[in-house]
Amino acid sequence: MPTTSDLATGLTAAAACAAGCAPAEGLPTAQAEQLATLLKALADPVRLRLYTRIAATTGETCVCDLGDFGVSQPTVSHHLRKLREAGLIDSERRGTWVYYSVVPRALAPLTPLLNG
């Protein structure tokens, strides 16, 4: 049970905070959801490695050139699909191969968040 002293201290701290606090607005809901989608897509280590490998290539990268990621091919396809769904990469099928490229400025919405 709080003492009178505890209550007085709590009220004083709350009153001081209320008088001096002016929290920032933060992100609007829609922008927060957009950024969360991008961050979730990149939060997986395999997806982050796939994205950076594709981004490091000028132009397109054939799926056959992506190399080994220590996971099965269906798992790599799953991660590539997640990156596409997040709008980070594009793909184009040519015969039996799929070519991937980074969506220009896809990470631009993260800039204000990272520059804080």
Side-chain angles (χ1 to χ4, degrees):
M1 179 131 195
T3 66
T4 305
S5 173
D6 292 337
L7 291 174
T9 304
L11 291 175
T12 304
C17 182
C21 288
E25 280 287 319
L27 295 173
T29 302
Q31 186 181 7
E33 289 173 0
Q34 177 191 22
L35 294 176
T37 299
L38 293 175
L39 292 170
K40 284 179 189 176
L42 294 171
D44 183 276
V46 173
R47 284 197 288 268
L48 186 57
R49 289 180 60 216
L50 281 165
Y51 180 81
T52 57
R53 190 166 297 175
I54 294 166
T57 304
T58 303
E60 302 171 322
T61 303
C62 179
V63 70
C64 63
D65 293 329
L66 287 175
D68 182 28
F69 285 87
V71 295
S72 67
Q73 194 284 319
T75 301
V76 169
S77 294
H78 165 78
H79 288 304
L80 289 167
R81 181 173 48 85
K82 290 292 187 183
L83 291 171
R84 276 194 328 272
E85 289 171 353
L88 293 166
I89 61 172
D90 277 330
S91 65
E92 181 183 333
R93 179 172 291 282
R94 295 183 200 148
T96 58
W97 299 112
V98 180
Y99 291 82
Y100 294 93
S101 59
V102 169
V103 173
R105 309 245 337 123
L107 295 179
L110 294 175
T111 303
L113 183 67
L114 299 174
N115 291 336

